[in-house]
Amino acid sequence: MSVFPECKKMKRTGFFPALLLGGLFSAMVPVLNMAFRSELYTGQGKPPVRILLDANWQMMAMLNILLVLVGTCILYHTEYENHAIGKMAALPIRRGRLFVDKFLLMAAACIVILALEAAAVGFCSFRWFPLPEGFHGLILELLQNFGYFLLLMMPAMLLSLFIASVCENMWISLGIGVICVFTATMLPSGNFAWSLFPYALLFQIPKSLPAHTAGKLLLAVPIEIGAIGIAGALFANIRRRFT
Amino acid sequence: MKFFTLVGVEFRKIRRSRIQILLFLGTVILWLPSVIHADMNFKMQAEGISPENNFFIQGFMGMAAFLFPASMVVCTVLLQQTERNHHGILKMLSLPVCPAKLCFAKFTVLLSLAAAQILMTVGMYGVSAGIASRTQDYNFLLPLSYVFKQAGSILLASIPMLTFFWLLSVWIRTPIFSIGFGLASIVPSVLMINTKVWFVYPMAYPFFVIVSEYGKLATRLSTAPIKWVPWLPVAAGITIICLLLSCFRFGQVERG
């Protein structure tokens, strides 16, 4: 397994504790929101998970995207600092492999973050709402929603990782990422084509969308993942010609 | 070395960093939707705000809420990384310069980058308001004195926030924490401006100032007015403490 050395590289950069803290911070959003103004939400008469996500997901998604941005920048920053990437290129590993490994590590970190958030949303539904469909219904609902979120997060992950792999200087990859996130917040809502922008995907809740739109969205996302993923892995092979 | 020489040196270091392009690109993306959807400004009668004021305030609110603070976090990354790459800081510290002075020179550069981005925003506002005036056949351009006054107040209000970001980048040496903490602290500022204790949260200041101005312009919308008494002392305190702490800490690890 070549993901393991990637974990080792990240050990002293604070990657894991930072993302864990970020995940906890974003998991606190619905809990605090409910703790302070639960009366706003308990009377809405919709499924609890849906109420909670409608109320809090925008902010949580923003935090998640920013975490992905910082995480991917650090993943490649360790390579470019002191020219470690030259040493990696000397090893008998295929070059695209590094990109794939880093993506797998980032995806694993994101699963942990999303699990923390799902637990927080689950806790809020359990604590403040009656559960008409019981405990199993709640778990199923959470799994479905956060499974979608993981899928919607992946294009942003891949694109940030791709940008980080292209730019040697961290402020450039971070700056481009910040501009992209900002663009995502400025895009008009309700336009399907714009909503496919990788950084804007996560701000949507597929289960709150009309079934037709959600279906199209979930069809388009794997295509995006494939395209950006292949581009990122292939770029590693021709990177030397540009830098 | 004189202070201004040091600032000049710091500027030379970031000359080829391409940060100007990044800052500029952000402002272009900020105003682009406003030009495309310029007709939306005529539908804001419910708030009681005139179209030209709405055009101005929406753009500046977008800037102060996310783009500007996040860009400043990126700038702190730039200022720190140019030193840490190839141990540049060791060479700087071997010069007969007080580290605190060096730190303050770097902060001055950060402040000028902030001013540069705000100036770019004003410039792009002029361009996009001009274009929108042409397409909509309605004068969107506000008097320049008013625009500069607002831009200046955003810059002044952002000083405590900048010192805080600078403190983060000096004290927290693992970049992921300083960047992550900086970026994550921007997100709750939208909530903070609606609370009574907004003045303890420096990241919310620029946004608060512009939202408060929105309340003044829109007759049917009330936002919290600026209360100088708790704000000014708290902001000054935050600024001084953050600057002192970062000047104290700067280069301490390298000096051993």
Side-chain angles (χ1 to χ4, degrees):
Chain A
M1 270 310 271
S2 49
V3 182
F4 190 62
E6 292 301 320
C7 289
K8 262 187 163 172
K9 283 182 202 166
M10 285 296 117
K11 212 166 76 179
R12 299 217 292 170
T13 56
F15 180 80
F16 300 108
L19 291 189
L20 200 66
L21 274 178
L24 282 175
F25 181 56
S26 122
M28 296 233 308
V29 172
V31 178
L32 286 179
N33 203 348
M34 286 309 288
F36 281 111
R37 31 183 210 182
S38 56
E39 69 284 353
L40 227 71
Y41 304 111
T42 42
Q44 287 186 5
K46 280 190 283 184
V49 175
R50 184 149 174 199
I51 298 174
L52 286 165
L53 288 180
D54 282 343
N56 304 304
W57 184 248
Q58 292 301 314
M59 187 168 268
M60 291 164 83
M62 186 70 163
L63 284 168
N64 285 343
I65 284 276
L66 291 176
L67 282 178
V68 165
L69 202 60
V70 183
T72 50
C73 282
I74 291 295
L75 277 170
Y76 265 100
H77 176 64
T78 50
E79 297 292 342
Y80 286 121
E81 208 183 18
N82 305 324
H83 306 291
I85 197 149
K87 287 151 204 161
M88 284 307 288
L91 293 177
I93 313 172
R94 288 177 63 181
R95 284 166 191 228
R97 185 75 221 185
L98 194 66
F99 184 83
V100 177
D101 287 342
K102 284 186 190 295
F103 168 66
L104 290 178
L105 185 60
M106 192 68 225
C110 286
I111 291 174
V112 176
I113 293 171
L114 286 174
L116 282 172
E117 291 167 356
V121 172
F123 167 76
C124 288
S125 335
F126 189 68
R127 166 86 176 66
W128 278 285
F129 291 94
L131 294 174
E133 286 163 33
F135 198 64
H136 288 285
L138 174 68
I139 297 283
L140 198 69
E141 184 77 11
L142 281 175
L143 275 179
Q144 269 184 342
N145 272 301
F146 282 83
Y148 284 145
F149 290 148
L150 182 65
L151 190 69
L152 295 183
M153 224 166 167
M154 282 186 180
M157 258 188 255
L158 281 164
L159 192 58
S160 311
L161 206 57
F162 182 31
I163 293 168
S165 79
V166 175
C167 306
E168 269 188 52
N169 295 319
M170 188 168 46
W171 65 85
I172 296 189
S173 39
L174 193 69
I176 296 176
V178 161
I179 292 175
C180 286
V181 173
F182 177 68
T183 313
T185 61
M186 297 291 280
L187 289 176
S189 55
N191 184 326
F192 181 70
W194 283 122
S195 75
L196 290 180
F197 181 59
Y199 289 87
L201 282 170
L202 192 60
F203 292 96
Q204 295 161 82
I205 307 168
K207 294 209 71 170
S208 296
L209 289 172
H212 177 61
T213 323
K216 271 202 291 184
L217 192 70
L218 295 177
L219 205 68
V221 171
I223 299 172
E224 266 184 55
I225 294 175
I228 307 172
I230 290 169
L234 285 182
F235 182 80
N237 292 314
I238 53 167
R239 198 186 67 85
R240 278 190 310 171
R241 292 182 202 166
F242 295 98
T243 48
Chain B
M1 243 192 280
K2 275 193 194 135
F3 179 68
F4 285 104
T5 325
L6 267 181
V7 175
V9 170
E10 293 302 326
F11 268 116
R12 204 166 303 156
K13 279 184 199 165
I14 61 164
R15 200 176 52 183
R16 280 195 261 174
S17 62
R18 302 198 190 94
I19 192 81
Q20 306 88 339
I21 303 174
L22 282 177
L23 294 181
F24 180 68
L25 216 64
T27 56
V28 172
I29 288 172
L30 171 70
W31 288 108
L32 213 58
S34 307
V35 176
I36 298 169
H37 301 286
D39 54 317
M40 289 295 285
N41 292 303
F42 297 107
K43 292 169 192 155
M44 297 298 286
Q45 304 308 325
E47 280 87 359
I49 186 166
S50 68
E52 63 271 32
N53 281 337
N54 190 55
F55 185 88
F56 167 79
I57 212 89
Q58 294 294 343
F60 271 77
M61 283 208 302
M63 183 201 74
F66 181 78
L67 179 70
F68 175 60
S71 303
M72 289 306 112
V73 174
V74 176
C75 290
T76 61
V77 175
L78 161 75
L79 291 173
Q80 289 296 340
Q81 289 301 322
T82 45
E83 291 298 358
R84 289 194 186 143
N85 283 349
H86 314 297
H87 304 287
I89 185 71
L90 288 181
K91 289 149 205 165
M92 287 309 286
L93 288 173
S94 66
L95 296 174
V97 186
C98 169
K101 212 170 166 186
L102 194 61
C103 175
F104 195 65
K106 281 184 174 293
F107 177 72
T108 313
V109 174
L110 180 65
L111 204 59
S112 356
L113 287 173
Q117 191 176 32
I118 290 181
L119 213 63
M120 288 175 195
T121 311
V122 172
M124 279 312 291
Y125 162 74
V127 173
S128 54
I131 299 172
S133 303
R134 278 276 179 85
T135 56
Q136 301 297 318
D137 220 6
Y138 179 91
N139 186 22
F140 277 105
L141 208 57
L142 291 171
L144 270 184
S145 57
Y146 173 77
V147 175
F148 272 107
K149 194 181 148 236
Q150 292 310 318
S153 57
I154 292 179
L155 180 63
L156 281 180
S158 72
I159 292 175
M161 175 184 86
L162 294 175
T163 56
F164 181 73
F165 286 158
W166 185 237
L167 179 80
L168 282 181
S169 73
V170 172
W171 273 77
I172 307 179
R173 292 184 54 82
T174 36
I176 191 165
F177 278 107
S178 54
I179 306 168
F181 202 69
L183 288 180
S185 68
I186 299 167
V187 179
S189 62
V190 186
L191 293 181
M192 285 306 284
I193 60 158
N194 291 317
T195 61
K196 286 197 181 89
V197 289
W198 61 272
F199 54 84
V200 297
Y201 199 70
M203 275 64 71
Y205 292 172
F207 192 45
F208 184 85
V209 168
I210 199 75
V211 168
S212 166
E213 181 63 25
Y214 186 32
K216 272 192 233 162
L217 293 175
T219 45
R220 263 165 262 161
L221 197 79
S222 64
T223 54
I226 297 172
K227 283 194 198 116
W228 295 102
V229 175
W231 185 33
L232 222 52
V234 171
I238 290 173
T239 310
I240 292 167
I241 291 171
C242 288
L243 271 181
L244 281 180
L245 281 177
S246 44
C247 284
F248 164 73
R249 175 76 176 172
F250 189 78
Q252 213 178 40
V253 175
E254 285 83 0
R255 278 179 282 161

